[in-house]
Amino acid sequence: MRKQRKRLTQGRRRPTRTFGLSRLRGRGTEQPSSSPAAHKLLERRYRAIIDDQVDLIRRFRPDGTLTFVNAAFCSFYQLREEEALGRNFAELLSHDEVEQISEAIFSLTPDNPTVTTAPRYVRHDGHTYWLEYVTHAIFNAQGDVIEYQSIGRDITAQKKAELEVEETRAAVNRAQRMATLAVIGGGIAHEISQPLSSIRILAGSGLYMLDKMNPVPLERIQKNLQDISSQVDRIDQIITHLREFLRTNQTSPAHPCDLNDCVESSLRMVQERIQAEEIHMTKELEAGLPAVYGVRIRFEELILNLLLNAVQELKGRKGAKIRLRTWADRGAHFEIRDNGPGLAPEIQNSIFEPFFTTHEDGNAMGLGLSIVKAVLSTCHGHIEARNASGGGAVFHVVFPESLDKSGKGGMWDPVPQNLGFSKK
Ligand SMILES: Nc1ncnc2c1ncn2[C@@H]1O[C@H](COP(=O)(O)OP(=O)(O)OP(=O)(O)O)[C@@H](O)[C@H]1O
Ligand SMILES: [Mg+2]
């Protein structure tokens, strides 16, 4: 061990951040003699200091072989020192992380000598732990790595807390989507009922032709069967759409989307409610809008939430109206205007906050507008809310033009979905 350390420090010109005798010597007040006894004493002191550390300390060769580990390291990995030394550091990594972490470490250079990694470690008892290692490469005068050393910290508690927040966030998101789904259920049932009644009529007339007509008009029956098949496809599309809507996949691929199509398809989902509430709906959808880049279902979710809010505020009002507008102006714009009660000044600054609601009927979660904001943050869009001059509320959404006209890349960031808990 001592031999190894000596070899590794040879040829080093500038002092580096090492945990070794050389560092201890530099700090000591008494100058050590070079006698073997003094050397042993120093080594014992060094060991004592290193073993008192709560941080995990390890050193390994360029081939990954561990040459030094402290007591905290052994205790974390539940290994004796002699069991750890001589192993490859990668043996203590999860299989799926070996490649990525090894690459991060082995690509260190004299200009970029430090890397932070956060490996996972599953102990024999099946419990998962997380660590954060700062690994520093030590180079010789020729710029070749002679050794790596790392300081690690157990970040399991922090990581678990983060995961819990993430899970809660996902659960709230799912719950909100389920609540929205319950509201749009009527609209979906309506959409499915149309192809279902077509199927019933087509099948009935096919049976009639088979039973009563002579000769049997095979071509007409064949045509009926083809129509039935395409109606089934239509139902399938509706159900697939619904499933996608409920999926909370954060990594859905982004595509250029037609904003007007998104408006139409969101509108179909609340059509039933609009009719039931006798709301007069007007649409001015400008043709040829620039494409909006992102996940179509999420844009529909955004529009749907704004629509549902307007419908909710107009409930029971005589002469209720909603006006939807889209237009192009350095990007695509969407505006929804209603003639409901509008936004009282004291709530205007709070409406986009998660869980803010003025509805106390138990169904509202106060998440609709947070979802709108979260969706907009994925495409760097923004929203403004104001009162209309003649009464009612206006929500104006701006989707910036995609940077990349080909529809690839562009201004899209798939991460949010965080309901605005951390990002505003
Ligand atoms: N068109 C509107 N007119 C007047 N007030 C509105 C309008 N849209 C939203 N608001 C106000 O903003 C609040 C927050 O809206 P948000 O959509 O986030 O939650 P919610 O509609 O109350 O509940 P949820 O969307 O979870 O069912 C509403 O409770 C309401 O007070
Ligand atoms: Mg809402």
Side-chain angles (χ1 to χ4, degrees), residues 75-301:
S75 140
F76 178 85
Y77 288 103
Q78 300 179 317
L79 291 170
R80 289 196 305 276
E81 185 183 355
E82 57 274 25
E83 288 172 324
L85 296 179
R87 275 191 190 223
N88 197 297
F89 85 100
E91 287 174 43
L92 299 171
L93 294 174
S94 302
H95 287 308
D96 57 330
E97 296 181 339
V98 171
E99 201 176 322
Q100 182 212 345
I101 291 180
S102 305
E103 198 185 317
I105 291 175
F106 294 135
S107 51
L108 292 176
T109 59
D111 291 336
N112 184 22
T114 306
V115 68
T116 303
T117 52
R120 224 172 50 238
Y121 183 65
V122 182
R123 282 205 187 135
H124 296 307
D125 58 9
H127 286 115
T128 302
Y129 294 80
W130 283 267
L131 289 157
E132 185 178 82
Y133 271 114
V134 177
T135 300
H136 189 86
I138 299 161
F139 298 89
N140 63 15
Q142 287 73 48
D144 301 322
V145 178
I146 50 172
E147 190 181 28
Y148 295 93
Q149 63 183 32
S150 317
I151 304 180
R153 199 158 67 85
D154 183 348
I155 56 161
T156 307
Q158 177 194 333
K159 198 81 189 175
K160 279 194 172 152
E162 277 168 20
L163 288 176
E164 266 168 36
V165 169
E166 204 47 59
E167 273 166 27
T168 314
R169 201 174 273 163
V172 169
N173 201 351
R174 266 197 307 275
Q176 167 70 15
R177 201 156 282 140
M178 291 302 284
T180 312
L181 182 72
V183 177
I184 62 177
I188 298 291
H190 175 74
E191 269 204 84
I192 289 180
S193 74
Q194 283 172 344
L196 271 182
S197 51
S198 304
I199 290 172
R200 189 178 298 116
I201 293 165
L202 290 163
S205 84
L207 285 171
Y208 176 86
M209 288 186 262
L210 269 176
D211 194 28
K212 306 275 183 216
M213 294 175 101
N214 197 0
V216 175
L218 283 179
E219 274 181 21
R220 285 175 63 193
I221 293 178
Q222 191 181 14
K223 172 80 178 49
N224 275 20
L225 289 173
Q226 279 163 353
D227 288 349
I228 287 177
S229 173
S230 56
Q231 293 300 333
V232 170
D233 285 348
R234 169 87 192 107
I235 294 177
D236 192 43
Q237 275 169 19
I238 296 169
I239 292 170
T240 308
H241 191 251
L242 200 65
R243 280 214 195 96
E244 276 177 40
F245 193 88
L246 284 172
R247 240 187 12 213
T248 52
N249 187 355
Q250 301 193 4
T251 52
S252 304
H255 296 288
C257 305
D258 181 329
L259 183 59
N260 288 343
D261 276 357
C262 296
V263 173
E264 294 285 10
S265 108
S266 316
L267 204 48
R268 273 200 299 277
M269 290 197 250
V270 281
Q271 198 61 50
E272 282 281 276
R273 274 195 74 176
I274 288 171
Q275 276 164 11
E277 299 289 343
E278 297 183 2
I279 297 169
H280 180 73
M281 173 72 69
T282 45
K283 283 183 295 180
E284 292 165 35
L285 307 184
E286 192 177 287
L289 291 181
V292 176
Y293 199 74
V295 180
R296 185 193 155 106
I297 289 288
R298 297 290 158 254
F299 292 141
E300 287 178 15
E301 191 176 11

Side-chain angles (χ1 to χ4, degrees), residues 18-67:
T18 63
F19 291 89
L21 289 174
S22 53
R23 179 169 170 118
L24 205 75
R25 278 193 192 114
R27 283 192 171 178
T29 42
E30 26 173 326
Q31 285 305 304
S33 90
S34 54
S35 75
H39 197 93
K40 265 230 146 25
L41 177 69
L42 268 173
E43 180 159 327
R44 272 208 306 276
R45 281 189 199 167
Y46 160 74
R47 214 38 254 203
I49 292 170
I50 295 293
D51 281 342
D52 278 350
Q53 302 288 317
V54 286
D55 288 339
L56 282 61
I57 298 172
R58 67 180 184 193
R59 292 163 67 153
F60 52 94
R61 293 192 199 123
D63 67 1
T65 310
L66 288 162
T67 55

Side-chain angles (χ1 to χ4, degrees), residues 176 305-306 309-310 312-313 338 341-343 347 351 353 356-359 363-370 393 395:
Q176 167 70 15
N305 271 295
L306 294 174
N309 280 353
Q312 197 166 20
E313 299 296 332
D338 63 57
L343 302 160
I347 68 163
I351 54 172
E353 281 169 19
F356 176 85
T357 181
T358 50
H359 304 293
N363 290 328
M365 297 174 78
L367 287 174
L369 291 178
S370 317
F395 287 84

